Structure formats: C-alpha cells, structure tokens
Amino acid sequence: MTKLSIITPTYNAEKFIEKNINSVISQGIKDIEHIIVDSISSDRTIDIVNKYKDHFSKIIVEKDNGIYDAMNKGIKLCEGYYLGMLNAGDKYTPEGLNIIHGYLNSSN
C-alpha cells in the first residue's frame, strides 16, 4: 500500500472544516495520514477538529507566518510517500482519493 499524507492548513475555518474532514474520512482509506496545521483560530475550528482527533495523525496549533508557512510545517511532519494539500474550505469528491490511491498502488 502507498501511504498518502494530506495537509490541511486552517485559520478560522469553522464554517467548512467539518466537510473537509468528512471528505477525507469517507474515502475509507486506511493508509493515510491527515495533518491539521492551525494558526490559533479564534472561532470553533479547533473544537471541531478535536471532535475528530482520532482521525488525525497530527494536529498542530501554533502561530505561523501565513498559509505557506503552515503548509511547510505540515510537510516537515509527513510520513507518506505522496503528499496532498487540502485547504480548509475544500473537500474531496466521493471516491476521489480512492481512485488516486488505487492508481498509485497499481502503477510502476
């Protein structure tokens, strides 16, 4: 199996973070790590993330210097062979990661 790493940078994303998280969980892929890097949100983002804390391999909550800094923090923590960025307001289509994961496991 090919391990995938997904990084989601967040900041005050309470309106959409749950859809983001569920879009990854619903893929049903076991060999995946989802990393949240939050820039100390002042809304309920972290409460929502903590509701799903068993889903995440890592949750980082600390001040950063913008979205690219947050992404780089996540990259440094990745253990997967492949890396994907999924911004807080984005989500995967049903079966989207499964298609990619299947292709990566079947190709040379």
Side-chain angles (χ1 to χ4, degrees):
M1 293 292 269
T2 302
K3 187 170 187 176
L4 299 174
S5 296
I6 306 298
I7 299 169
T8 299
T10 64
Y11 181 68
N12 291 342
E14 72 178 343
K15 293 180 182 175
F16 8 79
I17 193 63
E18 196 158 21
K19 288 181 182 177
N20 169 296
I21 296 166
N22 283 319
S23 79
V24 177
I25 292 171
S26 69
Q27 303 294 312
I29 299 171
K30 301 290 184 213
D31 200 20
I32 192 169
E33 70 175 345
H34 193 180
I35 299 170
I36 288 280
V37 183
D38 183 81
S39 184
I40 311 178
S41 291
S42 59
D43 64 1
R44 294 185 51 251
T45 299
I46 295 305
D47 294 333
I48 296 166
V49 167
N50 283 331
K51 178 178 163 184
Y52 296 92
K53 67 182 175 191
D54 292 340
H55 160 74
F56 296 103
S57 58
K58 296 167 187 85
I59 300 170
I60 308 303
V61 181
E62 62 186 28
K63 188 68 179 141
D64 58 49
N65 293 313
I67 192 168
Y68 297 110
D69 185 37
M71 288 176 176
N72 285 325
K73 287 179 182 187
I75 290 169
K76 289 177 185 176
L77 298 172
C78 287
E79 296 176 6
Y81 191 74
Y82 292 97
L83 167 66
M85 298 288 177
L86 184 64
N87 291 328
D90 296 332
K91 61 183 180 176
Y92 287 111
T93 60
E95 299 296 316
L97 274 182
N98 283 302
I99 293 167
I100 293 168
H101 195 251
Y103 174 77
L104 294 173
N105 283 314
S106 68
S107 70
N108 294 324

